[in-house]
Amino acid sequence: MTVPARDLTPEEFRRLGHAFVDWIADHRDALPGLPVVPPVAPGDVAAALTGPAAAFPGRRLPEAAQPLETLLGEIDRVVVPGSTHWQHPAFFGYFPANASMASLLGDLLSGGLGAQGMLWSTSPAATETEQVLLDGFAHALGLCAAFTVAGGGGGVVQDSASSAALVALLAALHRAAPGWRDTGVDGRERVYVTAETHSSLAKAVRVAGLGARALCVVDAVAGTQAMSPAALADAMAADVAAGLRPVLVCATVGTTGTGAVDPVRAIAPVAAAHGAWLHVDAAWAGVAGLCPELRHVIDGVDLADSFCTDAHKWLLTAFDASLLWVRDATALPAALSVTPEYLRNAASESGAVVDFRDWQVPLGRRFRALKLWAVVHALGLEGLRAHLRGHVAAAVDLAARVRAEPGVVLAAPPTLGLVCLRFTTADGDADDATTRAVLERVNASGAAFVTHTVLDQRYVIRIAVGGVATEAPHVEALWDRLRAEAAAVRGTCVPPQP
Amino acid sequence: MTVPARDLTPEEFRRLGHAFVDWIADHRDALPGLPVVPPVAPGDVAAALTGPAAAFPGRRLPEAAQPLETLLGEIDRVVVPGSTHWQHPAFFGYFPANASMASLLGDLLSGGLGAQGMLWSTSPAATETEQVLLDGFAHALGLCAAFTVAGGGGGVVQDSASSAALVALLAALHRAAPGWRDTGVDGRERVYVTAETHSSLAKAVRVAGLGARALCVVDAVAGTQAMSPAALADAMAADVAAGLRPVLVCATVGTTGTGAVDPVRAIAPVAAAHGAWLHVDAAWAGVAGLCPELRHVIDGVDLADSFCTDAHKWLLTAFDASLLWVRDATALPAALSVTPEYLRNAASESGAVVDFRDWQVPLGRRFRALKLWAVVHALGLEGLRAHLRGHVAAAVDLAARVRAEPGVVLAAPPTLGLVCLRFTTADGDADDATTRAVLERVNASGAAFVTHTVLDQRYVIRIAVGGVATEAPHVEALWDRLRAEAAAVRGTCVPPQP
């Protein structure tokens, strides 16, 4: 038997590539008819993969080569029925993860070129295209020139907002104590967040060796989930008085739980007064800054040291593409650069180029700007804005329906495409049992998927409108289903639409 | 004018997808005729992108949507001429970065499905497929059962060996002092490497807040670049006597500089005697364990706490796919888990599933197992072994030619596909000027690309044989060019082949 000790030939790739593209086109076409979350139990997928006649009998890899087209049958048999379909138009869970088909094609080019962008010299086009695109996005978001290359700052694509927060923290640690690279942390560092700040900040604090004791959870403004600048000032002053060192404040624009927006403009001078780095985590909501009428959500970010928003959530770009800007282009390399001999090169030593390996934790990096470019090319800023506006309008409409409906209330003020609601008793009290039961029934139906949070110790359904294929009718259908399931839980008739 | 406030339709994707696939097939076909490294100066690419009639005039994103097929013209005009071609068959720099066309198709499916694999419940297929494949690779590499799911350990795909080393260090810190999650590092931690250990370890130590003082550079066995177990024992004992705490030893299988292999089997009991975590970084070389006759390079890894090798270097899988195994499946979650309310779910709380977000720093994660699966499906283990063996044979042949040639010597014992050489004077001394000049001339020619290191303070050319399309004739052509350029530098005739 002949063993092909090689990759596909270009001609084989052409033929198979068309088949795989067609599979994806068919899959996206079929998605609305699939359950968003299939009924699958732990171990089901592994069992389907490892049975006697399966792909990996006994969890062993196959010895022999197989025609690649037959993989598609396995995907249909095992993977699709075992997947939560994030690209389904009725996926309203977590935050959206827009894997647009336009971005897939840009990402395919990235794989085709197969460049490593760790140094400028290892692929000049990868680095400079990323810089130009991030400058372009900075302008389109209305960020001040300080965040652009020409302004002495710059943007970089990270894999996730988690990693962006981590490198911001590392830059902050270095700025706060330049001896950090040699002697590490000293146990006096403090990082300021709120109870609603994303868990990636707690993780970054742990990864950076500070321990949970370094995390100061600042109170919210009464009756909201937004950080209180006054409480922040008090906390920082008390810490300084206790001999601790404020290193970083994380302000969130659009918290994961409820979409709360910390008052960045008021927080900035408090952070600055203590020399702390101000990082703005706008992972989900920041892209709304592309629309002038929504730009208020990122008010004040021009005062931050770093600002992050994810193109891979609501901005049509397949994971991973978290956009991070810093005001000082030297800050990340100062904290992160380590240069062994085998990475030395004339371009780096000239000082005329940026080596993005020094802006992130991993050394290797993919040419991620291509998928961003494909999205921008295919939709233009006008298309991106229309995408965002369509979801905001659908969420505004949903919130209006909630307000008009008896027995259900908004659990927090809606932000952009995020609507949080809970069901209530006849007395108007939160009815956790009904809220939870409705969520479980909606999700078990397969017709839609929503997730939850807990706010003021009460169960809340989060509805994140923003899927790459989600349009107003899908939101309307979700609303109808929520009402129907609530009626079923309560044993009542579905009330007429107001 | 109509603004498409939307992604491509499936039908548009089908048509454009075929065109993009064809572009890649044509590009891979054309690669051998392109310069490996094009002559491009800092700013050239940005200038081509931002001129008046370019894609981003004045570094502004376009307002209007454009037909996506026209992006390909821009890639041809700006990106290809500005790229270092890592997939070129004459790319011998750094380590290979095999973006096989088979893996591209698996990765395309991953984008098409667009699943987030952060929790088991957010895409059961993503998690279980990854577990099954990593179990299969563990068996194929001859790893002991302790690294498999059934054995209480398990594998996970990281973005890079850098990140794998970082999470191994975090697990080690937690194991060494469970209070670490709360109180952070205490300045007494020590991490053991050699002068040839990858720079990602120094970076991980910095990221984790330990500072460079925590890094102990252990001496090599005399005349080699491999860690001396005796020197390690001495260093650890001295540190313990000084009140310091050994946390992690990193043994390297195949250093970046010269491919040196630390004696893992002898190092393991030394690390164990002090309770230190043993991490084996076999980023490039570890995949050779798939071939029984090469498996000696990973001898002893069964004694390690964690073992990492990159499928995205020499194993035909497009970046990123760094395979990490740990002996204790609870170690990474114990160190890394942070669970806010919005990530709670019944499956996680049942304890019956693995949530891979707790095995890495970022929260989000792509369905990376699909590209690994596509590679395994298309080539089988037989094909993978043949791929590796072809490169090893070509490197053995190259090394024999170097040994037989006057005026050039092997700078270190060849390892697998890596050959290090330097040119010598008539007296047999290292001739750094010639070695450097030959490298520069080879790279400037565009016909091949090699990189360098410094060993014993002398300049060394590294030739990493392992490209996805690299075959013996490409290595032979490189050798001819090296000889020709050396003759040109020396002003002599090219000597006849021995």
Side-chain angles (χ1 to χ4, degrees), chain A residues 7 14 18 22 26 43 46 66 70 82 101 128 135 181 203 206 212 319 341 357 360 366 377 452, chain B residues 7 14 18 22 26 43 46 59 70 101 125 128 181 203 206 212 319 335 341 357 360 366 377 452:
Chain A
D7 187 18
R14 195 185 304 270
H18 292 191
D22 290 347
D26 292 343
Q66 298 161 79
T70 63
M101 288 179 274
E128 296 192 13
D135 270 7
R181 287 173 53 144
K203 197 163 180 176
R206 191 187 297 169
F319 190 84
E341 183 62 36
R357 70 176 180 114
Q360 63 179 24
R366 196 170 163 92
H377 192 93
H452 82 284
Chain B
D7 187 17
R14 196 184 304 268
H18 291 191
D22 291 346
D26 292 342
R59 297 189 174 229
T70 62
M101 287 178 278
E128 296 193 14
R181 286 172 54 145
K203 197 164 179 175
R206 191 187 296 168
F319 190 85
E341 182 62 36
R357 69 176 181 114
Q360 63 178 24
R366 196 170 163 93
H377 192 93
H452 82 286

Side-chain angles (χ1 to χ4, degrees), chain B residues 221-486:
Chain B
V221 174
T224 79
Q225 282 76 50
M227 182 184 283
S228 160
L232 175 66
D234 290 348
M236 294 179 93
D239 283 343
V240 170
L244 301 174
R245 188 165 62 245
V247 168
L248 180 134
V249 177
C250 178
T252 305
V253 169
T255 60
T256 305
T258 65
V261 176
D262 291 336
V264 178
R265 186 170 294 283
I267 288 168
V270 181
H274 293 290
W277 183 285
L278 177 57
H279 176 67
V280 176
D281 173 12
W284 158 65
V287 297
L290 293 177
C291 302
E293 77 280 13
L294 303 176
R295 192 168 291 163
H296 59 87
V297 298
I298 59 169
D299 178 56
V301 302
D302 281 352
L303 305 170
D305 293 290
S306 52
F307 169 69
C308 169
T309 188
D310 289 346
H312 62 238
K313 284 194 166 72
W314 194 13
L315 205 67
L316 293 129
T317 308
F319 190 85
D320 48 3
S322 181
L323 314 184
L324 172 68
W325 286 271
V326 291
R327 172 182 297 280
D328 174 2
T330 69
L332 289 168
L336 289 166
S337 185
V338 181
T339 303
E341 182 62 36
Y342 47 79
L343 296 179
R344 290 193 192 283
N345 65 91
S348 299
E349 283 163 22
S350 75
V353 301
V354 162
D355 293 324
F356 273 137
R357 69 176 181 114
D358 294 332
W359 294 53
Q360 63 178 24
V361 172
L363 173 59
R365 69 195 317 268
R366 196 170 163 93
F367 192 165
R368 288 181 289 214
L370 286 175
K371 58 187 173 187
L372 273 175
W373 189 358
V375 166
V376 165
H377 192 93
L379 281 93
L381 283 170
E382 293 173 347
L384 297 182
R385 293 189 196 107
H387 172 75
L388 302 170
R389 285 169 176 153
H391 293 142
V392 172
V396 167
D397 180 68
L398 173 63
R401 290 171 193 246
V402 173
R403 285 192 186 93
E405 177 94 352
V408 62
V409 296
L410 294 172
T415 302
L416 303 170
L418 182 63
V419 177
C420 294
L421 57 81
R422 61 179 162 223
F423 290 90
T424 53
T425 64
D427 298 335
D429 294 336
D431 182 352
D432 282 1
T434 296
T435 307
R436 183 189 295 264
V438 168
L439 176 139
E440 288 171 355
R441 291 174 68 102
V442 167
N443 291 350
S445 77
F449 179 68
V450 294
T451 54
H452 82 286
T453 192
V454 166
L455 192 61
D456 300 330
Q457 300 180 310
R458 309 315 292 256
Y459 200 83
V460 171
I461 293 176
R462 297 171 66 263
I463 299 166
V465 180
V468 73
T470 301
E471 300 185 358
H474 303 110
V475 183
E476 290 156 18
L478 170 66
W479 175 238
D480 290 343
R481 181 161 293 272
L482 286 164
R483 297 172 78 241
E485 299 295 0

Side-chain angles (χ1 to χ4, degrees), chain A residues 194-292:
Chain A
T194 72
E196 293 290 312
T197 300
H198 193 265
S199 56
S200 56
L201 266 289
K203 197 163 180 176
V205 163
R206 191 187 297 169
V207 168
L210 302 177
R213 68 173 173 181
L215 202 62
C216 176
V217 180
V218 178
D219 286 345
V221 174
T224 79
Q225 282 74 48
M227 182 184 284
S228 159
L232 174 66
D234 290 347
M236 294 180 93
D239 284 342
V240 170
L244 301 173
R245 189 166 61 244
V247 167
L248 179 135
V249 176
C250 179
T252 305
V253 169
T255 60
T256 305
T258 64
V261 176
D262 291 336
V264 179
R265 187 170 294 285
I267 287 168
V270 181
H274 293 288
W277 183 286
L278 177 57
H279 176 65
V280 175
D281 174 10
W284 158 66
V287 298
L290 293 177
C291 302

Side-chain angles (χ1 to χ4, degrees), chain A residues 3 5-8 10 13-14 18 20-26 28-29 40 42-43 45-46 49 56 59-67 70-71 79 82 84 86-87 94 99-102 104-105 107-109 111-114 116 120-122 124-125 128-129 135-136 139 159-160 162 170 180-185 198-199 203 206-209 211-213 256 319 335-338 340-342 344 353 357 360-364 366-367 373 376-383 385-386 452 454, chain B residues 3 5-8 10 13-14 18 20-26 28-29 40 42-43 45-46 49 56 59-67 70-71 79 82 84 86-87 94 99-102 104-105 107-109 111-114 116 120-122 124-125 128-129 135-136 139 159-160 162 170 180-185 198-199 203 206-209 211-213 256 319 335-338 340-342 344 353 357 360-364 366-367 373 376-383 385-386 452 454:
Chain A
V3 178
R6 57 159 181 77
D7 187 18
L8 307 175
F13 176 76
R14 195 185 304 270
H18 292 191
F20 276 59
V21 163
D22 290 347
W23 186 93
I24 293 170
D26 292 343
R28 292 291 177 105
D29 248 342
V40 56
V45 172
L49 287 171
F56 308 103
R59 296 189 176 232
R60 297 289 187 270
L61 304 184
E63 285 289 324
Q66 298 161 79
T70 63
L71 178 62
V79 173
T84 300
W86 286 66
Q87 306 312 316
Y94 306 104
S100 77
M101 288 179 274
L104 299 193
L105 295 181
D107 206 27
L108 185 61
L109 288 181
L113 289 165
Q116 268 297 339
W120 177 88
S121 69
T122 61
E128 296 192 13
T129 304
D135 270 7
H139 184 262
D159 64 358
S160 64
S162 301
L170 299 172
W180 165 82
R181 287 173 53 144
D182 294 322
T183 56
V185 299
H198 193 265
S199 56
K203 197 163 180 176
R206 191 187 297 169
V207 168
R213 68 173 173 181
T256 305
F319 190 84
L336 289 167
S337 184
V338 181
E341 183 62 36
Y342 47 78
R344 289 193 192 282
V353 301
R357 70 176 180 114
Q360 63 179 24
V361 172
L363 173 58
R366 196 170 163 92
F367 193 163
W373 189 357
V376 165
H377 192 93
L379 282 92
L381 284 170
E382 291 173 349
R385 291 189 197 108
H452 82 284
V454 167
Chain B
V3 178
R6 56 160 179 80
D7 187 17
L8 307 175
F13 176 76
R14 196 184 304 268
H18 291 191
F20 276 59
V21 163
D22 291 346
W23 186 92
I24 293 170
D26 292 342
R28 291 290 176 106
D29 249 341
V40 55
V45 172
L49 287 171
F56 308 103
R59 297 189 174 229
R60 297 290 189 270
L61 303 184
E63 285 290 323
Q66 298 162 79
T70 62
L71 178 63
V79 172
T84 300
W86 286 67
Q87 307 311 315
Y94 307 104
S100 77
M101 287 178 278
L104 299 194
L105 295 182
D107 205 27
L108 185 62
L109 289 181
L113 289 164
Q116 267 296 338
W120 177 89
S121 69
T122 60
E128 296 193 14
T129 305
D135 270 6
H139 184 262
D159 64 358
S160 65
S162 302
L170 299 172
W180 164 82
R181 286 172 54 145
D182 294 320
T183 56
V185 298
H198 193 265
S199 56
K203 197 164 179 175
R206 191 187 296 168
V207 169
R213 67 173 175 181
T256 305
F319 190 85
L336 289 166
S337 185
V338 181
E341 182 62 36
Y342 47 79
R344 290 193 192 283
V353 301
R357 69 176 181 114
Q360 63 178 24
V361 172
L363 173 59
R366 196 170 163 93
F367 192 165
W373 189 358
V376 165
H377 192 93
L379 281 93
L381 283 170
E382 293 173 347
R385 293 189 196 107
H452 82 286
V454 166

